[in-house]
Amino acid sequence: MTSQVSSPAEQADGAGGAIAGQRAAPRTDGSGKEIRRVDRVIIRFAGDSGDGMQLTGDRFTSETASFGNDLSTLPNFPAEIRAPAGTLPGVSSFQLHFADHDILTPGDAPNVLVAMNPAALKANIADVPRGAEIIVNTDEFTKRPMAKVGYETSPLEDGSLDAYSIHRVPLTTLTVEALKDFGLSRKEAERSKNMFALGLLSWMYHRPTEGTEAFLRQKFAKRPQIAEANIVAFRAGWNFGETTEDFAVSYEVAPAGDAFPAGTYRNISGNLALSYGLIAAGRQADLPLYLGSYPITPASDILHELSRHKNFGVRTFQAEDEIAGIGAALGAAFGGALAVTTTSGPGVALKSETIGLAVSLELPLLIVDIQRGGPSTGLPTKTEQADLLQAMYGRNGEAPVPIVAPRTPADCFDAALEAARIALTYRTPVFLLSDGYLANGSEPWRIPDVADLPDLTVQFATEPNHTLADGTEVYWPYKRDPLTLARPWAVPGTAGLEHRIGGIEKQDGTGNISYDPANHDFMVRTRQAKIDNIQVPDLRVDDPTGARTLVLGWGSTYGPITAAVRRLRTAGTPIAQAHLRHVNPFPRNLGEVLKRYDKVVVPEMNLGQLATLIRAKYLVDAQSYNQVNGMPFKAEQLATVLKEAIDD
């Protein structure tokens, strides 16, 4: 039997339901409509992939961020550029969870679903809890669109939606009517129905409007008529909510206030935060930043963003393929740049030989892998954590590489700085493992003070570093730092520091080609020792009550795991939590931490890759909990699993 976990904390982080936790007694506005103060809301916009759901969600998110709420988002869209209209594979959705307190996930289930057509309703209704509000575009619920997704009768009329609070709104008709004076064709006018829906939801949840109107004017600056049409549709949606009798209640969600430390905040996605982290790393190292990349979902945003920042010493190269991208990046590393290549799992497979070359050359190189569902092309727009073993072992020979994994969208900034620190200090390629959930999701980010960023300054070799028996001073490219085991880094063209590079094994010290078995054994062990000896912080354990069960995670599972742990503790169940940022090498105290607990549970969006590493290295019977459905864990799901592990 599956045990269920329910507690007040369940309402605090995204369990969904008809209405989130109410903060105060309702009041009325000037027109007599009720206003309810609630602590959090989960909204999901869903429609055809051409309905602008991602733009609608982005705008609602931006206004929510400017209002001061904590928030977390989950965009979900098809891999096809234009999937067949009105079909289930073509449904695009955007879920936003916002609150007046600290939250961790986009929410388990929406309080409000906006369904632009029958396909959007059918694809999402299973996630909507009883009593939740559903806003449907009735104009699309005609015979043909319903038949296309298998509705034999109208769900708006056959009683199948009686458990929900249904708002029937002819969004298309109302939008076309609002824009009748613009001289647009019906098809052109219909494209603004997402702005009508955005205006309606903005009224419903008291969101600011000025930012959206300014955004539309800027976005369509070269087509002012289209800009004004969208603004009129947006205002019409707001006015409809204010005047129609169908919407008798609106909701207020206060700013988060004390949930955040003092500072300046902005909403940021994982890929944008990672891009900014790379730029900051280049500035802190006083090195030019070079990106050699080939476009691939979901990593392409980083290439797009970095290409905008030439003023910060950033150079981007969109190569003809993955191999050329990393080859150019490694060449830039040899030339003295902070070099980066971005990709996803299929691209890592193509880059593997050059990553091995970077290991042999011992040059700093960042390999950013935004993981997605696999194998092969897999699920390009869905998330997964299944590249861990590929990053760990996916090269020929003994080619150890450090691995750093961010845990939230905003944390991608700090993870990029940390990956750069390791690469520059230890002269090694470094994997940064993000994923589609972090890359596309967003949350508030406290903009750091530049004075608080780490100093990543690099000392290049400028003089000979070895004296031969006859007194001649020479440059040995593989003479190592005794503490870090890093070799010196000499910029090409430095007089007297010419040296050989290439993929054939190097002789210790001189860097000359060597086929000597003993030398190869020594170099292999030395490269491994360099990675093993990388200094990373000890693992921090959150265990306020001396629990006997530890939940251990890595990467993007942080939010759902932490939300689940909060629920359990609020319900009186003790549980400990730890989360890994450094997956290779592991923190030095990890073994000691694992031995403290009777049970260790490892939730992963793969089939148990971290658990496999933990079992092999520490001989701990770590229990895996896994899913590979292209979606992040839900907090309620994990809370139930962890409770069962504790009670078993």
Side-chain angles (χ1 to χ4, degrees), residues 438-483:
L438 297 184
N440 297 316
S442 62
E443 66 176 352
W445 173 55
R446 183 175 181 271
I447 300 174
D449 190 324
V450 174
D452 296 332
L453 298 180
D455 181 5
L456 302 179
T457 305
V458 174
Q459 297 296 325
F460 287 104
T462 57
E463 300 176 344
N465 61 359
H466 185 75
T467 303
L468 299 177
D470 62 3
T472 304
E473 293 188 343
V474 297
Y475 175 64
W476 276 15
Y478 284 84
K479 185 172 184 176
R480 302 180 182 278
D481 181 292
L483 295 178

Side-chain angles (χ1 to χ4, degrees), residues 44-60 75-77 91-95 114-116 120 171 193-195 197-198:
R44 184 181 297 178
F45 298 94
D48 190 74
S49 57
D51 285 338
M53 294 296 93
Q54 302 306 315
L55 175 63
T56 305
D58 282 340
R59 289 313 314 157
F60 198 96
N76 188 11
F77 44 89
V91 173
S92 174
S93 68
F94 188 105
Q95 183 162 304
V114 180
M116 303 296 281
L171 288 171
K193 65 181 181 289
N194 64 322
M195 288 297 104
L198 178 60

